[in-house]
Structures are given as structure tokens and as C-alpha cells.
Amino acid sequence: TSDSTQIPAVVKTIAPESSASPSEDKPVEEAGKEEAPIQDTAEEVTKEAESKPTEEVKKEVEPKAEAAGEVKKESEPQAASDGWVDVLGSGALKKRTKKAGSGQNLERGQQVRMKYTLMLSSGKIVDDGLEQTFQLGDGEVIEAIDLTANLAKVGEVYEAMSQSRFAYGVLGRPPHIGPNSSVLMVVEIIQAEDTPKIPDMAEVERVKIGDRKRKIGNDHFARHDYAR
């Protein structure tokens, strides 16, 4: 869900031009040397002229195009045979699609409305069919949702398995979730829309978002979770 690409500098090496005129006499010891055939020399020059500019242009254009989002980025993590996608490549967070959505993947900063069920690894349900609106990538939900929703589309239903570090960590969420608890979630993405700029928001909308963030902050404070 998005990431500040640094454009590498392109360094060109230009051979210094010779100050000697082509018509100047050659040293005596070189006068008897055989000249390279003109045709062969012309072919070499042509090949160099055709290949060198292409390589230089490629070096110049590709980093800039990548920064502008025009070059194809690395593909998303691929699903294993059982359908689970290892989101981070470490096995700590996995996602499996149950129902495909449509359109583009959600993007960081969007206002997302979801419905979810959260349970412990034992199968005990903690939250059942709750709806929540959050700003993607802004720490309003646990990282397991922030990171997996970024790979989802509107209308998608997916499962997510997360170790505690991307859920409720060493603090847990008393009294229902203990410390260092892994969790399983079923998430449905209902809606996603771009967040308008604050000056463009109606007062009631600004108050609504501010109140939501206040409640989230109070929840973290009550859990002594000061890292967020």
C-alpha cells in the first residue's frame, strides 16, 4: 500500500580531443606501419556509434523513468501452492485471498472502510464482524492490516496470519489477547477513497477524523504502547 527513489548520477567519460592535426607528419619509425583497412575501421566505428549512445541513453533515462513510476516495479510476492503469500519473506505475516476484488491495489493515505473478524491462533474469536474506517499506512490499525491491505483491492476478502510483532506485540490487548500472541484475521475491503486535503474538508469531516485519531491514541496510551 506507497516509497523516494534516488536517481543515480550518470557519469560520461569523454576522451580528450587530440591537439594534433590529422595532416601532421607521422614519426619516421611509424611511417612504414600498415594502416588498418578503411572498410574494417568504418564498420567498427559504426558499431560503436550505434551501441554507445543506446547504452548511455538507457543509463540516463531508466533511473528517471523509474523515479516517475514509468518503469515496471518488482512484482508482488507470489502465492505458494496453498494460496498463502509471504508478505515480508520471513514467514511472520501471510495473506491469502478468499474472494478477489477489482481495480487497483489500495494506496497509502487512502481512507479505507473494512469489515473484519479477528481470532487467536487457537481459533477463539476476539472481534467478530466489526466495521472500521482507517487511513492506510498511518498507524491507525495494527501493522498486520496496514501491510496486507496495501496488497488488496476493493471488494476483496482475504485471510491474514500474523505473528505478535505485527499484531499486539509483547503488550497484548488485555483481557482478550495475551502478550506475544499470534492472530488470524478475515478482512473484507468495503470501500477506499483518497483522503482530501485538510483545507478542502468540511468542518464536520475534520472533526470526525480528529476524533478518530484521538481515540486511537488513547487506546495506545491505555495499553502503554508508546511506540506508535
Side-chain angles (χ1 to χ4, degrees):
T1 218
S2 311
D3 3 298
S4 61
T5 305
Q6 185 176 358
I7 303 175
V10 179
V11 180
K12 295 183 180 179
T13 304
I14 303 176
E17 296 183 2
S18 174
S19 58
S21 171
S23 61
E24 289 181 6
D25 294 336
K26 294 182 180 181
V28 176
E29 61 270 21
E30 294 182 1
K33 289 186 178 179
E34 183 179 352
E35 295 283 351
I38 296 176
Q39 183 177 355
D40 293 345
T41 304
E43 289 178 356
E44 292 176 3
V45 171
T46 301
K47 289 180 181 179
E48 183 179 357
E50 290 176 348
S51 61
K52 186 174 180 181
T54 301
E55 294 173 355
E56 290 181 357
V57 169
K58 187 176 180 182
K59 288 179 182 179
E60 292 179 354
V61 173
E62 282 192 349
K64 295 178 182 179
E66 184 176 359
E70 297 173 1
V71 174
K72 184 177 180 182
K73 296 179 181 179
E74 293 183 4
S75 58
E76 295 177 4
Q78 297 299 308
S81 57
D82 57 2
W84 286 102
V85 174
D86 190 350
V87 177
L88 302 174
S90 62
L93 179 63
K94 295 183 177 182
K95 173 183 178 288
R96 180 167 63 183
T97 301
K98 296 185 67 178
K99 175 186 173 184
S102 60
Q104 301 296 319
N105 285 359
L106 306 186
E107 295 183 0
R108 182 184 178 91
Q110 287 186 314
Q111 298 292 321
V112 179
R113 184 160 63 95
M114 69 172 178
K115 184 177 181 179
Y116 74 97
T117 294
L118 184 146
M119 62 192 78
L120 302 177
S121 56
S122 63
K124 180 182 178 180
I125 296 177
V126 178
D127 298 327
D128 189 8
L130 298 184
E131 283 197 18
Q132 183 175 348
T133 298
F134 65 99
Q135 185 170 336
L136 182 60
D138 203 38
E140 295 188 2
V141 290
I142 58 176
E143 287 183 287
I145 294 179
D146 253 345
L147 294 171
T148 54
N150 197 51
L151 300 174
K153 301 174 175 62
V154 174
E156 182 173 330
V157 178
Y158 68 88
E159 297 173 303
M161 288 194 303
S162 175
Q163 293 181 1
S164 61
R165 61 179 296 192
F166 299 111
Y168 295 96
V170 297
L171 300 175
R173 200 187 83 184
H176 304 294
I177 302 177
N180 301 314
S181 296
S182 297
V183 297
L184 172 65
M185 296 165 288
V186 179
V187 180
E188 177 184 1
I189 304 298
I190 301 172
Q191 183 181 20
E193 57 186 13
D194 293 339
T195 303
K197 296 180 180 180
I198 293 178
D200 298 334
M201 290 183 185
E203 182 178 356
V204 63
E205 188 65 22
R206 293 200 300 268
V207 171
K208 182 179 178 181
I209 293 177
D211 188 55
R212 186 179 77 207
K213 292 183 179 294
R214 177 185 61 81
K215 289 179 180 178
I216 293 170
N218 288 344
D219 179 64
H220 290 316
F221 184 81
R223 294 175 50 243
H224 304 288
D225 183 2
Y226 307 123
R228 289 179 180 268

